[in-house]
Amino acid sequence: MRRFKILHRTYYNFPDLVVLGPHTLRLRPREGHELRIESSSLKITPAAELHWQRDVEDNSVVIATFHEPSNQLAIESEVIIQQYNEDPLDFLLADYAVDYPFAYTSNDRIQLAPYLSDAGNGQLRLWLKQLWSPDEALQTYTLLQRISSHIHQSLNYQLREEPGVQTVTQTLALGSGSCRDFANLFLQAARSLGLAARFVSGYLYTQPSPDNFGAAHAWAEVYLPGAGWKGFDPTLGAIVGSEHIPVAVARLPELVPPVEGSYVGPADSKLDVGVWVTAL
């Protein structure tokens, strides 16, 4: 078992007083048999009324409602977790899913329908032909890891501060993208192969350096019968392990921003975000 502290600070500074609308915050990690929350605190200025809930994906979400105008919105989340996913390759697939291609059971297909929709991107399918052909016998995990590794090795990672996610076409044309762009490419590639996939936002622990103390991060999960949802990180070209801390999952990347809300006031604002992930 490993323990981590995640400190996530978000500051919006406005040139004048603004009226803050309700804000949706997705900052609390997803708990389960692989991850447990030891302690958590959430500090918000100005004072806010908090309403906690679970969304349709079972993500932990808090709605913050404000009653006073302010020229700053400050959000500080501090969480200590226990991470048990230290051997991510310790799983067994159902016999029928070991080799690709395979078909989900009829019951699973009903549940997985939102994660199976294929946009039919021709450029993506041409790209996939470099990695697999129907006459090649291949294990399902090996194929997924091959796609993840290829994204990591063939595309250039770029930190993008602007909001939004690149389309598959944009990422392939540019030959570069951020972690969320790579996660979206992997997700769409898996769906194009008939595999159920979803987007994951969370945090990543990395060895501390003068320029890196951890970061918000994104990857993808694929539903593998017998194993469940297994994470693949194409930014690193690796399967998801104990250094990945999931916060929210969704069928589309744009559905799970960490902070989402509105305000009424001057259009100009300054955003500062800091994330620190520390091994304890």
Side-chain angles (χ1 to χ4, degrees):
M1 183 266 288
R2 303 178 69 185
R3 296 171 68 240
F4 296 99
K5 181 174 76 171
I6 305 108
L7 179 60
H8 189 157
R9 290 174 173 160
T10 306
Y11 297 98
Y12 290 93
N13 292 290
F14 308 100
D16 204 346
L17 291 177
V18 302
V19 176
L20 296 165
H23 277 61
T24 301
L25 312 180
R26 301 174 184 88
L27 301 170
R28 183 183 174 92
R30 287 173 62 88
E31 293 180 89
H33 62 274
E34 293 178 341
L35 188 153
R36 299 173 189 170
I37 293 178
E38 188 175 305
S39 65
S40 66
S41 66
L42 181 62
K43 300 175 183 178
I44 302 178
T45 305
E49 181 180 335
L50 302 181
H51 175 63
W52 289 91
Q53 64 185 50
R54 293 279 181 177
D55 66 13
V56 69
E57 297 278 11
D58 204 33
N59 299 313
S60 184
V61 177
V62 62
I63 310 298
T65 305
F66 303 90
H67 302 288
E68 297 180 1
S70 179
N71 59 6
Q72 183 188 66
L73 171 59
I75 303 167
E76 181 177 303
S77 170
E78 182 176 304
V79 184
I80 295 177
I81 67 157
Q82 300 172 2
Q83 174 64 279
Y84 291 84
N85 186 24
E86 294 187 81
D87 190 3
L89 290 175
D90 183 19
F91 65 87
L92 293 174
L93 299 188
D95 289 344
Y96 69 88
V98 170
D99 296 317
Y100 181 85
F102 69 89
Y104 291 110
T105 65
S106 56
N107 284 334
D108 281 351
R109 286 195 67 85
I110 293 172
Q111 299 281 63
L112 295 171
Y115 313 103
L116 283 165
S117 57
D118 175 17
N121 186 297
Q123 185 177 357
L124 175 60
R125 290 177 180 172
L126 286 173
W127 180 78
L128 280 170
K129 284 184 177 180
Q130 307 171 58
L131 305 176
W132 178 78
S133 60
D135 59 352
E136 181 183 9
L138 200 63
Q139 290 190 340
T140 303
Y141 169 77
T142 302
L143 174 58
L144 291 169
Q145 184 55 41
R146 180 184 290 182
I147 295 170
S148 178
S149 296
H150 185 70
I151 293 172
H152 168 68
Q153 294 169 4
S154 64
L155 302 178
N156 295 318
Y157 171 77
Q158 289 187 342
L159 180 64
R160 291 199 306 110
E161 298 292 349
E162 62 271 19
V165 180
Q166 291 177 179
T167 66
V168 166
T169 301
Q170 289 173 323
T171 300
L172 292 178
L174 292 169
S176 64
S178 66
C179 60
R180 61 188 185 275
D181 303 320
F182 290 172
N184 185 51
L185 173 58
F186 180 93
L187 177 155
Q188 298 298 343
R191 289 181 181 175
S192 183
L193 293 169
L195 301 174
R198 64 187 184 184
F199 182 86
V200 187
S201 67
Y203 303 106
L204 177 68
Y205 169 74
T206 58
Q207 289 296 325
S209 70
D211 302 315
N212 195 344
F213 293 92
H217 197 52
W219 58 93
E221 289 180 342
V222 177
Y223 186 77
L224 300 175
W229 290 101
K230 300 302 294 183
F232 293 83
D233 184 349
T235 302
L236 302 179
I239 193 168
V240 166
S242 62
E243 295 176 345
H244 292 78
I245 303 161
V247 171
V249 301
R251 60 185 181 87
L252 297 172
E254 57 266 28
L255 297 179
V256 283
V259 178
E260 182 179 21
S262 63
Y263 70 92
V264 177
D268 293 334
S269 65
K270 182 182 178 183
L271 170 63
D272 290 306
V273 178
V275 174
W276 297 264
V277 182
T278 308
L280 302 179

